[in-house]
Amino acid sequence: MARHLPLLDDAQRRAFEHPPKWTATQRKLYCHLPDWATQVLSSLVTPHSRGGFAVQVSYFQATGRFYPADRFRAADLAHVQQRYRLGPVAWERYDKATRFHHRQLILQQCGVAPFEQVEAAVRAQVTHFARQQMNPTAVFRSAVDTLRARRWEVPTYAALAGVVTDAFRTVEQQLTTQLAALLTPAVRQQLDGLFATEADEPAHSHRPYRLTTLKRSRELMRAAAIRANVQDYAVLQALFGQVYPIVQALDLSEEMVRYYARYVERAQVFQVRQQADKKYLMVLCFLVYQYYQVGDLLTETLLQAVQTHRNAAQRDTQERVYRQQQDTAAQWRQVLDGVVAHSAALAALEHMAFAFDRTNDEKVAALLAWLHTPDVTAFTQVRTSAQQLRQGGGGSASGPYYQVIEERSRALQRRLGDILRRVAYDGPADSPLAQALQHYRTRDGQLGSQLPTSFLKPVERAALAEAASPVSLYKALLVGYVADHLKAGKLNLTHSLRYRPFDTYLLDAAAWAAQREELLVRTNLTHLREPTPFLDALQAQLAAAFARTFDRLAAGTNPGVQPRAGGGRPRFLPPARPADEEAPPPRPLFPAPGLISLHEALHTVDQACRFTECLEHWNPRHRPPRPAARVFFAAVMAYGCNLGLTRMAHATKQVAQSTLENTVNWYLSLENLRRANDAVLALTGKLPVSRLFRRDPSQTHTSSDGQKYYVAVDSIHATHSYKYFGQDKGIVSYGFLDDRHRLFHSVTINASEREAAYLLDGLLHNDVVESTIHSTDTHGFTEVNFAVTFLIQVAFAPRIQSFQDQQLYAFAGMEVPDLTTHGLAPVKRLDRALIEAQWDTLVRLVVSLKHKHVTASTVLRRLNSYSQHHPVYLALRELGRAVKTEFLLRYMDDQGLRKRIDEQLDKLESTHSFARAVFYGQNGQLPYAGKEEQQVADACKRLVQNVIVCWNCLYLNQYLLQAPAAERQAVADAIAASSPVSWQHINLHGEFDFSDESLKDSLRFDLDALFAFRWEEPPAPAV
């Protein structure tokens, strides 16, 4: 066994073990000694001792580490030698003993504990990390961050790698020992059975292992796929009931469960089986995680099927009402004419009945005569027509809607009946819906005539009484209520990743209470300690914004506002844009069209930042030999250009399809692709030319927007949108861009979901771009987003359509102007007490997000579903209204702000055509049904785009460097006026080889022999 786990590759290890490479500015900053070090330096005598001390202090300030003299960088030595006037220095004399003495002195003066003193605490912390996240490389990096944060010395790579390796071996040994004691013979037999086939015979493609059959869920909306998923869920449910108590006893973290489960998904069955006792731990984690995933998939199926059912019912209802109006026009006229005639007859009878000039016998005779008239006979036909109209829905308050629901119920039951019977959704015990759902499960869907209807609305009960098949209508209404309550958080799925109760997503309450201050410091959120000073500052900021904005409106000094004649609401002018004819012709900056092949651009950028080294094998403890870089390029292009692995393998002579598939399976995880993108982004950000594209160097302005993509196959994650997809289905790629044109995050979402729920994911879950101001269009704005971005100190600046119609708010006691004089709605008052009452939970939520304990989209989608009822939602909404009002006031007052927002959103919109050019294969339609594969394709597309932008910046940087000094400023101005989002010079489609060598026939055809060939047709069979 290797002494250490392979935590870092050779290049990363060299970077860790050597001092950092500094620019001249960084060297000047870090080599500036503090006062205590200057005093120590003056007390030293020999040049090598003085120089070594100065260099060690400089490196320690930057990295928290010490380095041997033979690794000192020459540029740093020269700088220290000149800055401190050391004269000639014999650096080889800076020996180990002197370095050890300087180390002790520097640690003492900086208040940093030596590693040997805290090694036990470090081991305990690393062991905790090992139990929380099973990626050893991530544990290594987290350990370094912890050492720096706690002012502990960072040791050598060998020392820290040894601690991490020991921690993982200790954790695995503890778990396997515990597991051996917890596994009963019955459970062990059940787990062993997963490594066999149904017939206990050797496995092949038509007779897979039981474990294999549970690996891949079918992410489709077809009834057969749903039934298969329900069957898998039933198997998993039975196994889950046996293994979950063991997982709880082992106290496995969600990260550990996910890691082992995803390994089992990727590995062949024999690779899992050969892991000795650890195979049981892996399979336990897989069963738990897969049970969660399939439960979520079935829940998503239910929600989407109900929505599709309702949309179809509404369309059918509208069509049926229209046809009924055409078909029953004559009946309606007959009924209306009969009612009019009958009312006239009734008036005549009433007149006759109360006539004083007639006797009773005369009145009876006249009434009998009227009953035999043709009018009475005709009115009986009116009654028949009215009954027919009522049966067709004409007499119902809701029209034929419930009749359509009833007719469509059987198709809905075929899809969802098994889900309702099998998936245990939890709700309050006294909830009428929960009781009805329990009744449905208890009777296995066979409801009979006694239907619990207390959860239904009166109109639905009335429709049930009139239905031809009350049970069918009832089941359709029941599943609709289940879907609504799941969205509203009134029903939950306890064992789930996406549909658990809101509170379960936050940091543990006990841990939060014990570590609140430490977590606030670690996440840089100390400004949220107490609500009073925070809200006081916001209130003052809001009052100042009201005063400034409306003082300038009243005085007419806002140049971006045009008053209307006769008063009323002012007209806010859009930011002025320069006319196209006024713009000078652009200076040609890039090579000729199609000159640079895409794989060349990938290779060039990879040589500069080694992004392929971020694509690590899923199992970092036992890494096989890495594929060549060209295999990674082919895999990224296969997904990023939407060519597919088969087509890419056929078009590439040097890469086999099996190699591509294996590389994608083990290396192209979403986390790896995120890190690869980050490596390219970091390189782009280091290039000086990228700063030319920023409009305000003091801010990092980012933006996000969605782009629609057709999905060419049946997928549960794709939905209909007639506006964007017509009769087809699609998804949305929600992308994030900074002011240097770097695409720093993207995620694929359902086309029916609102983008706003995913806004915070891009701001919080990337390690390169730290946004200070973020813009979206109207689809990305909610009051909750205003609140959370304000809490994490990111200015949210969306472009809101008809922003003048937005309601403005103020805290109680604030003096605000009369907005009605400006044609605006009066100000509403905020409930500050509501925010203060929920303050600790709000802070706990934000810390959970910044600590990456949960993704923002997961927890905010769950919170938003609670709508008006959850106190945390109400508090966030109230805070968001205050923040939104302050922004709207600045937005009204500052035309420059509106212009900067428009410019940043225009940058992002320009990348949409760029994305379509890159993602050109298969007509730009996604051929993947699975969520993960859709996201991998999206991440690869983003990586290709970022590589092209990075290559362009490298080229422009060199172009500027090589420009004559007299022209350099003009070139810089031309670059600043252009964009690195350019791809005409990149050959995205590959090349055809028409050389003489390639035109040689691989097969020789003898035409004479082919033309002369004859064969006898077989005789016709006898009749």
Side-chain angles (χ1 to χ4, degrees):
M1 183 181 292
R3 182 168 179 267
H4 297 319
L5 295 175
L7 304 175
L8 303 179
D9 57 39
D10 292 340
Q12 293 170 334
R13 179 171 178 173
R14 284 195 301 271
F16 182 84
E17 292 183 327
H18 286 76
K21 293 182 179 180
W22 286 331
T23 63
T25 303
Q26 291 171 330
R27 188 175 296 109
K28 183 177 180 181
L29 172 66
Y30 286 113
C31 290
H32 178 74
L33 300 182
D35 293 340
W36 68 264
T38 303
Q39 294 175 5
V40 172
L41 188 68
S42 64
S43 67
L44 300 177
V45 179
T46 59
H48 66 269
S49 178
R50 300 181 72 223
F53 175 78
V55 173
Q56 290 284 26
V57 171
S58 302
Y59 286 155
F60 187 79
Q61 290 182 133
T63 65
R65 290 200 57 206
F66 298 97
Y67 302 90
D70 59 354
R71 295 179 184 173
F72 290 175
R73 299 195 182 277
D76 303 333
L77 298 180
H79 178 83
V80 167
Q81 198 169 346
Q82 179 182 4
R83 180 166 186 168
Y84 297 105
R85 301 176 184 177
L86 301 179
V89 178
W91 293 104
E92 67 277 4
R93 295 183 60 192
Y94 187 65
D95 55 17
K96 185 176 181 180
T98 307
R99 181 161 59 90
F100 181 76
H101 173 67
H102 288 172
R103 169 179 171 266
Q104 289 182 312
L105 183 60
I106 293 170
L107 289 172
Q108 181 180 0
Q109 291 292 336
C110 293
V112 176
F115 177 72
E116 57 268 18
Q117 290 184 9
V118 297
E119 184 174 356
V122 173
R123 288 184 178 276
Q125 185 64 54
V126 170
T127 302
H128 171 73
F129 286 150
R131 292 190 68 92
Q132 295 300 315
Q133 50 186 7
M134 286 307 298
N135 186 327
T137 302
V139 171
F140 181 87
R141 293 174 177 144
S142 298
V144 173
D145 293 340
T146 301
L147 288 164
R148 296 297 306 276
R150 298 189 178 182
R151 301 190 67 77
W152 294 346
E153 179 192 5
V154 180
T156 63
Y157 171 81
L160 192 54
V163 171
V164 173
T165 300
D166 291 344
F168 274 94
R169 290 173 182 166
T170 299
V171 168
E172 286 191 350
Q173 185 176 5
Q174 290 174 349
L175 289 176
T176 52
T177 302
Q178 288 178 272
L179 186 57
L182 292 169
L183 277 179
T184 64
V187 174
R188 191 183 295 267
Q189 183 179 4
Q190 288 276 7
L191 298 181
D192 286 335
L194 297 175
F195 295 99
T197 62
E198 293 293 341
D200 288 330
E201 297 177 2
H204 57 70
S205 58
H206 299 294
R207 188 170 54 239
Y209 293 106
R210 292 187 179 95
L211 182 59
T212 303
T213 62
L214 296 176
K215 278 189 179 184
R216 299 295 179 186
S217 50
R218 302 151 190 86
E219 300 175 61
L220 311 172
M221 285 299 294
R222 291 197 291 267
I226 297 172
R227 284 195 300 272
N229 287 336
V230 173
Q231 292 170 2
D232 288 349
Y233 190 75
V235 175
L236 288 166
Q237 196 171 46
L239 292 168
F240 179 82
Q242 298 181 56
V243 304
Y244 188 63
I246 300 175
V247 172
Q248 285 184 305
L250 292 173
D251 193 25
L252 300 181
S253 66
E254 288 187 11
E255 292 79 6
M256 182 180 290
V257 171
R258 183 182 295 110
Y259 171 80
Y260 280 131
R262 302 305 298 276
Y263 176 82
V264 172
E265 282 183 3
R266 283 168 164 77
Q268 299 292 326
V269 171
F270 78 89
Q271 292 175 306
V272 179
R273 186 169 49 194
Q274 69 186 9
Q275 296 285 334
D277 290 338
K278 200 166 67 173
K279 69 180 181 182
Y280 294 118
L281 177 62
M282 291 180 172
V283 174
L284 284 175
C285 293
F286 168 76
L287 292 175
V288 170
Y289 189 73
Q290 191 71 354
Y291 179 65
Y292 284 15
Q293 279 198 309
V294 178
D296 286 351
L297 179 62
L298 292 175
T299 302
E300 189 173 350
T301 302
L302 185 148
L303 295 175
Q304 190 174 138
V306 168
Q307 188 60 50
T308 302
H309 168 79
R310 286 173 171 170
N311 293 341
Q314 289 173 355
R315 287 195 304 270
D316 285 0
T317 300
Q318 292 173 353
E319 293 174 3
R320 190 169 299 188
V321 167
Y322 177 77
R323 287 197 305 269
Q324 285 177 350
Q325 288 175 348
Q326 303 299 316
D327 297 341
T328 62
Q331 289 179 311
W332 278 111
R333 284 195 297 272
Q334 182 182 1
V335 169
L336 294 175
D337 292 344
V339 169
V340 172
H342 193 60
S343 62
L346 288 176
L349 289 173
E350 181 182 16
H351 175 74
M352 181 174 54
F354 291 99
F356 294 103
D357 56 344
R358 293 193 180 192
T359 66
N360 291 337
D361 291 339
E362 290 175 338
K363 293 178 181 180
V364 171
L367 176 61
L368 292 175
W370 177 79
L371 290 174
H372 292 88
T373 60
D375 291 342
V376 175
T377 304
F379 194 73
T380 60
Q381 299 299 323
V382 172
R383 181 180 179 184
T384 303
S385 298
Q387 289 175 339
Q388 292 174 349
L389 288 172
R390 185 172 184 180
Q391 290 175 354
S396 172
S398 57
Y401 177 72
Y402 289 107
Q403 184 179 347
V404 174
I405 291 287
E406 178 187 341
E407 293 170 0
R408 287 184 161 273
S409 175
R410 292 192 179 277
L412 190 65
Q413 291 174 51
R414 283 196 296 270
R415 283 186 167 184
L416 305 184
D418 290 339
I419 296 178
L420 286 186
R421 284 191 289 270
R422 180 60 62 181
V423 184
Y425 296 116
D426 300 323
D430 57 348
S431 165
L433 178 63
Q435 295 170 358
L437 195 54
Q438 183 60 39
H439 177 75
Y440 183 94
R441 292 198 201 102
T442 303
R443 299 182 63 93
D444 197 29
Q446 305 300 317
L447 298 181
S449 58
Q450 299 298 321
L451 302 175
T453 60
S454 57
F455 66 93
L456 296 176
K457 299 175 183 176
V459 65
E460 293 167 337
R461 295 195 197 104
L464 207 61
E466 299 174 0
S469 177
V471 174
S472 290
L473 177 58
Y474 177 83
K475 288 181 177 180
L477 295 175
L478 174 65
V479 74
Y481 270 89
V482 170
D484 292 341
H485 279 59
L486 280 168
K487 291 180 180 178
K490 298 177 183 177
L491 286 179
N492 298 289
L493 186 57
T494 303
H495 300 296
S496 165
L497 300 174
R498 299 182 59 189
Y499 299 99
R500 302 201 309 260
F502 165 74
D503 293 343
T504 63
Y505 291 105
L506 305 186
L507 289 166
D508 179 70
W512 168 247
Q515 305 174 27
R516 186 178 192 271
E517 182 61 25
E518 179 184 348
L519 289 169
L520 288 173
V521 172
R522 193 184 306 172
T523 53
N524 196 28
L525 294 173
T526 53
H527 61 287
L528 302 181
R529 282 192 185 98
E530 299 296 334
T532 302
F534 182 88
L535 294 176
D536 286 346
L538 175 60
Q539 184 167 334
Q541 190 177 350
L542 184 57
F546 266 113
R548 173 179 172 80
T549 298
F550 287 100
D551 285 350
R552 280 163 51 85
L553 278 178
T557 56
N558 187 337
V561 176
Q562 186 179 73
R564 295 187 184 273
R569 177 182 295 181
R571 179 171 178 262
F572 293 90
L573 303 177
R577 295 173 179 261
D580 291 340
E581 59 270 12
E582 297 177 4
R587 179 176 184 143
L589 297 171
F590 294 105
L595 186 64
I596 309 300
S597 65
L598 178 56
H599 61 267
E600 178 187 340
L602 288 163
H603 179 265
T604 300
V605 174
D606 186 51
Q607 291 294 305
C609 69
R610 299 292 182 186
F611 69 83
T612 55
E613 293 179 357
C614 299
L615 304 176
E616 299 175 345
H617 195 276
W618 184 265
N619 186 3
R621 294 173 225 178
H622 306 286
R623 291 175 178 169
R626 283 179 62 82
R630 62 175 174 267
V631 179
F632 290 113
F633 298 156
V636 169
M637 290 171 62
Y639 274 98
C641 297
N642 204 27
L643 299 174
L645 297 180
T646 301
R647 184 176 174 186
M648 175 59 73
H650 291 169
T652 307
K653 295 181 178 179
Q654 294 83 5
V655 182
Q657 183 170 346
S658 60
T659 304
L660 266 180
E661 291 172 348
N662 185 68
T663 300
V664 168
N665 181 53
W666 286 108
Y667 291 90
L668 258 61
S669 68
L670 292 173
E671 176 61 21
N672 283 348
L673 289 168
R674 182 193 66 79
R675 292 176 52 234
N677 270 293
D678 285 353
V680 178
L681 298 177
L683 173 60
T684 305
K686 291 177 182 177
L687 295 172
V689 74
S690 69
R691 294 195 291 268
L692 295 174
F693 304 115
R694 303 181 68 181
R695 295 294 178 258
D696 185 353
S698 65
Q699 292 184 332
T700 299
H701 199 157
T702 60
S703 55
S704 56
D705 191 23
Q707 185 172 9
K708 312 296 188 296
Y709 287 92
Y710 287 89
V711 175
V713 296
D714 180 29
S715 172
I716 192 173
H717 308 293
T719 52
H720 291 285
S721 174
Y722 185 79
K723 178 180 179 181
Y724 298 108
F725 308 122
Q727 299 298 323
D728 298 319
K729 299 169 73 175
I731 63 170
V732 174
S733 172
Y734 190 48
F736 291 71
L737 183 82
D738 76 348
D739 46 12
R740 302 188 191 195
H741 297 273
R742 297 182 295 178
L743 289 154
F744 62 90
H745 183 75
S746 64
V747 63
T748 60
I749 62 176
N750 195 304
S752 62
E753 290 186 274
R754 190 172 179 186
E755 298 165 0
Y758 296 85
L759 179 140
L760 287 159
D761 283 355
L763 300 180
L764 292 173
H765 291 272
N766 83 92
D767 298 328
V768 177
V769 177
E770 187 172 350
S771 176
T772 57
I773 177 172
H774 185 79
S775 295
T776 69
D777 57 14
T778 304
H779 294 287
F781 124 77
T782 63
E783 289 167 340
V784 169
N785 279 348
F786 266 109
V788 180
T789 52
F790 187 70
L791 291 171
I792 64 173
Q793 296 181 305
V794 175
F796 186 36
R799 180 172 61 192
I800 302 176
Q801 187 176 11
S802 303
F803 65 91
Q804 306 95 322
D805 297 331
Q806 290 287 320
Q807 177 66 55
L808 300 181
Y809 296 86
F811 288 103
M814 282 179 51
E815 292 187 7
V816 295
D818 182 8
L819 304 192
T820 57
T821 60
H822 301 281
L824 301 174
V827 170
K828 289 188 176 180
R829 297 296 174 173
L830 296 167
D831 186 356
R832 176 166 170 164
L834 175 60
I835 303 173
E836 292 174 336
Q838 297 297 320
W839 185 256
D840 191 65
T841 307
L842 297 186
V843 178
R844 180 180 161 207
L845 166 63
V846 175
V847 171
S848 299
L849 296 177
K850 287 209 71 174
H851 201 254
K852 299 183 181 179
H853 179 75
V854 63
T855 60
S857 57
T858 299
V859 67
L860 290 183
R861 283 173 66 254
R862 202 71 188 126
L863 180 61
N864 288 338
S865 69
Y866 286 88
S867 188
Q868 310 295 321
H869 305 287
H870 202 287
V872 175
Y873 174 85
L874 296 176
L876 278 175
R877 187 184 65 178
E878 204 73 358
L879 177 61
R881 286 172 171 175
V883 180
K884 181 191 73 171
T885 299
E886 193 277 335
F887 164 73
L888 288 173
L889 294 171
R890 284 190 293 112
Y891 195 73
M892 295 176 185
D893 188 62
D894 189 350
Q895 190 180 32
L897 173 62
R898 301 201 295 274
K899 182 177 181 181
R900 291 192 298 274
I901 293 172
D902 284 350
E903 289 175 347
Q904 181 60 29
L905 290 175
D906 287 347
K907 284 183 179 181
L908 183 55
E909 289 170 2
S910 71
T911 65
H912 291 341
S913 55
F914 181 26
R916 285 191 292 270
V918 167
F919 203 69
Y920 64 87
Q922 305 184 65
N923 296 320
Q925 297 184 357
L926 274 166
Y928 312 113
K931 181 75 169 179
E932 182 172 355
E933 210 164 11
Q934 291 174 358
Q935 291 183 332
V936 166
D938 187 61
C940 287
K941 171 178 65 66
R942 182 164 64 92
L943 180 56
V944 172
Q945 291 179 265
N946 280 324
V947 164
I948 293 174
V949 170
C950 184
W951 191 96
N952 290 343
C953 287
L954 287 167
Y955 181 85
L956 293 174
N957 220 123
Q958 181 165 293
Y959 187 88
L960 181 59
L961 177 66
Q962 296 176 347
E967 299 181 15
R968 194 162 290 162
Q969 186 57 49
V971 172
D973 293 341
I975 292 173
S978 67
S979 168
V981 180
S982 180
W983 63 95
Q984 288 77 13
H985 54 289
I986 303 293
N987 185 350
L988 296 168
H989 298 263
E991 300 173 351
F992 293 97
D993 185 4
F994 293 105
S995 64
D996 292 339
E997 185 66 25
S998 67
L999 292 176
K1000 291 181 180 179
D1001 294 333
S1002 57
L1003 294 174
R1004 298 284 183 178
F1005 297 105
D1006 187 342
L1007 295 182
D1008 292 336
L1010 293 176
F1011 293 151
F1013 178 63
R1014 295 289 184 272
W1015 71 95
E1016 295 182 1
E1017 295 184 4
V1023 180

